[in-house]
Amino acid sequence: MDISLGLGKEKVSVTLDDAKIAAVITPNPVETSGDPEKLVADALMNPIASPRLREIAKPGEKVVIVTSDITRPMPSKVVLPFILDELSAAGVEDDDIEVVFGLGIHRGHTEEEKRALVGDAVYERVKCTDSDPDNIVRMGKTAKNGTPVDVFETVAKADRRICLGNIEYHYFAGYSGGGKAIMPGVCSRDSIQANHSQMVRDGSRAGQIDGNPVREDIDAAAAMVGIDFILNVVLDEKKRIVCAVAGDYIQAHRAGAKFLDSLYKVEIDAPADIVLVSSGGFPKDINLYQAQKALDNAKNAVRDGGVVVLVASCKEGLGEDVFERWMVGAGTSAQMIDDIQKNFELGGHKAAAIAMVLERADVYLVSDMAADFVESIFFKPFATVDDALAAARTKLGNDARIIVMPYGGSTLPSVK
C-alpha cells in the first residue's frame, strides 16, 4: 500500500506491505454539503440556542472578534467576511470592530502573517491585533478551581465578544474551540498555567468533556468574561470546512464536538507494535510544541514497548521557550514527569506529556531538525520515513504490525 504523509508544506510517500498493516486510521465518512461558505452562512442564519448575531450586536458598540493564531488551521479568512456582514447588518461600524488573534503564550505575528490569516479585504477593513498577555484585566477567579481570569484588556473592555475557532481533539482539554478562544487564547501566562496545571487530574484527556476539570475551568472562565456568540468549524483532512456551528458558546460547541466524534474518533481492535503518524503537515507540525498533539493521539494506538514513528517538520524548532528549557534541560524523560508533579510550569506541561509517551514507547522522529539536537531531547532522528521504519522493524521484528495515522493531529484511536 502506498501511503502519503504531510511533512511541512510537502508530502512524503512510503510503501508498506498490506499484510503488516493493522489499520490505517482516517476520518470516518460523513455527509456534508461540500460547500464551506454555505456551511458558514447556514450556521449564522440558524444559530444554536441563540438569536442571530445581527440581532445581538447594536450600533455604537465596540465589538471584538477573537480568532486563532498561525499555529491553528482555523480558516479565519473564510469565516470573517460572513461575521462582518452580520455585524454590518446590525448597524455596527467597521471602526468599532477589532479582530484579536488569541496567542496564548505563542509568538506574535508579523503584519504579513496577520494579513494572510484574515485575507486582504478584512485586513484593510478592520483593525487586527495580537493579544498581549502582559496587558490584562483581572476579572476574578473561577469558583471551583480558583483560576485567575486575567484577560487581554481589549477583549475584557469590549461591549461584545465573538469567538471563532476550529474544533479538534485536545490532549487534556478534551476538544479545542468554544471558550478556549478566551482561556487560554487571550489570557495571561498565570491564568493559563493555573488552568493547564489541572492536566494531571483524572478526566483531563482527549475526547472528554463531562468530568474534564480543564474544560470545566475553561467554560467557567468564558462565562465570567462573557461570550456573546461563537462560530466554530470542523475541518477535514484537507483542512476544508465540513461542519460549522454558531450561537451559544456551550451548546453550539457541544454540537460541533459531537460532529467531530462522528468524523475523527476511530475504533481499533488492539494497539500495534509500530505507529506511523504524521501531524498532517503545516501548520500542525510547524514546531514540536504543536506536533506533540499527534504524538499524544498516537500513544492510544501503540503497545507498551513499541515504536512511534513521528513525521513532523518542526521547521521552527521546539516552538516555545519554557518547553525548550524543559526538553533540553532534563537528564531523562522520567525526570520531566517527576518535575511537573512537583512544580507545574506552563510549557513544561507539554514536555511532561511527551515524556509520558517516551516512558511507554520509543519515538523515532523524521523532521527538519538537526539529528544531534533530536537525540538530545530523547527522540531517535531519521532522515526518511523508510529509514525509521527499517529501524523499527530491526527492533521489533519483520512481523511487527503497523497502524498508520496520516492525520494524527486530528484522529483519535480508541481500542474496542
Side-chain angles (χ1 to χ4, degrees):
M1 179 184 292
D2 293 329
I3 303 288
S4 179
L5 302 171
L7 178 64
K9 295 182 179 179
E10 306 296 329
K11 293 285 186 181
V12 295
S13 297
V14 61
T15 301
L16 301 176
D17 181 352
D18 289 16
K20 306 293 175 58
I21 298 175
V24 177
I25 297 178
T26 56
N28 300 309
V30 296
E31 291 187 10
T32 180
S33 75
D35 183 343
E37 293 191 350
K38 183 177 186 302
L39 288 170
V40 173
D42 287 349
L44 287 170
M45 286 190 291
N46 301 283
I48 298 170
S50 169
R52 286 188 66 169
L53 180 55
R54 64 178 60 190
E55 298 168 3
I56 294 173
K58 301 291 185 292
E61 290 181 332
K62 299 295 184 182
V63 178
V64 161
I65 306 168
V66 181
T67 193
S68 303
D69 71 356
I70 197 171
T71 67
R72 302 290 188 267
M74 171 64 195
S76 299
K77 66 169 60 177
V78 176
V79 170
L80 278 167
F82 291 93
I83 297 291
L84 295 182
D85 285 349
E86 283 287 295
L87 293 174
S88 178
V92 179
E93 299 291 335
D94 288 350
D95 288 346
D96 289 329
I97 301 170
E98 186 165 350
V99 172
V100 172
F101 299 103
L103 297 180
I105 60 168
H106 303 157
R107 68 167 177 83
H109 297 107
T110 65
E111 291 304 313
E112 290 77 13
E113 287 172 332
K114 292 177 187 176
R115 179 185 288 272
L117 285 170
V118 302
D120 291 338
V122 172
Y123 184 81
E124 293 169 3
R125 180 175 170 183
V126 298
K127 185 177 181 181
C128 298
T129 308
D130 281 342
S131 63
D132 182 352
D134 296 320
N135 178 19
I136 53 93
V137 174
R138 172 65 60 88
M139 304 191 76
K141 296 183 177 182
T142 58
K144 187 173 182 179
N145 296 307
T147 298
V149 183
D150 301 334
V151 178
F152 178 43
E153 183 178 32
T154 300
V155 176
K157 293 187 175 180
D159 297 308
R160 298 290 178 187
R161 282 165 288 273
I162 302 163
C163 291
L164 312 183
N166 70 297
I167 302 176
E168 59 188 4
Y169 293 114
H170 188 277
Y171 67 110
F172 61 80
Y175 300 80
S176 63
K180 224 170 161 290
I182 297 295
M183 172 76 81
V186 293
C187 284
S188 69
R189 177 175 280 271
D190 287 346
S191 295
I192 301 168
Q193 181 160 310
N195 171 258
H196 285 15
S197 67
Q198 296 166 75
M199 68 176 283
V200 298
R201 294 175 55 190
D202 288 343
S204 301
R205 62 175 63 90
Q208 180 168 338
I209 290 179
D210 295 338
N212 185 323
V214 178
R215 171 51 70 173
E216 289 173 352
D217 204 46
I218 287 170
D219 290 341
M224 292 174 60
V225 176
I227 298 176
D228 294 283
F229 197 85
I230 71 165
L231 193 145
N232 282 181
V233 298
V234 176
L235 307 179
D236 68 7
E237 67 275 13
K238 295 181 180 177
K239 303 180 181 66
R240 296 174 303 194
I241 297 171
V242 292
C243 173
V245 291
D248 178 75
Y249 82 99
I250 293 288
Q251 295 192 49
H253 176 257
R254 301 304 189 259
K258 184 177 180 179
F259 180 91
L260 184 81
D261 283 347
S262 73
L263 182 61
Y264 286 131
K265 188 172 282 188
V266 181
E267 286 192 337
I268 58 175
D269 292 325
D273 303 300
I274 301 169
V275 175
L276 172 59
V277 58
S278 165
S279 297
F282 180 87
K284 292 185 177 184
D285 69 349
I286 192 170
N287 52 49
L288 187 61
Y289 194 83
Q290 296 303 321
Q292 176 271 338
K293 296 173 185 176
L295 178 61
D296 207 79
N297 284 345
K299 77 179 181 185
N300 297 292
V302 70
R303 69 166 173 83
D304 289 350
V307 171
V308 177
V309 177
L310 175 62
V311 180
S313 167
C314 304
K315 201 168 189 67
E316 293 191 3
L318 297 189
E320 200 276 329
D321 291 343
V322 176
F323 173 62
E324 181 167 354
R325 171 162 51 79
W326 275 67
M327 289 297 296
V328 303
T332 64
S333 58
Q335 179 187 332
M336 291 189 282
I337 300 172
D338 187 51
D339 287 349
I340 204 68
Q341 292 173 325
K342 293 177 180 177
N343 180 30
F344 184 91
E345 185 177 17
L346 190 63
H349 72 293
K350 283 211 176 187
I354 287 174
M356 286 187 270
V357 180
L358 288 165
E359 289 299 293
R360 287 191 53 217
D362 287 342
V363 179
Y364 296 177
L365 180 61
V366 180
S367 74
D368 290 321
M369 293 193 292
D372 57 348
F373 179 73
V374 171
E375 288 181 339
S376 75
I377 57 174
F378 314 112
F379 295 158
K380 295 184 179 180
F382 290 90
T384 69
V385 175
D386 286 332
D387 289 345
L389 287 174
R393 292 190 190 98
T394 298
K395 172 183 169 64
L396 300 173
N398 286 328
D399 292 329
R401 302 283 285 169
I402 300 175
I403 286 178
V404 185
M405 299 176 60
Y407 313 105
S410 304
T411 45
L412 181 65
S414 175
V415 178
K416 291 180 182 176

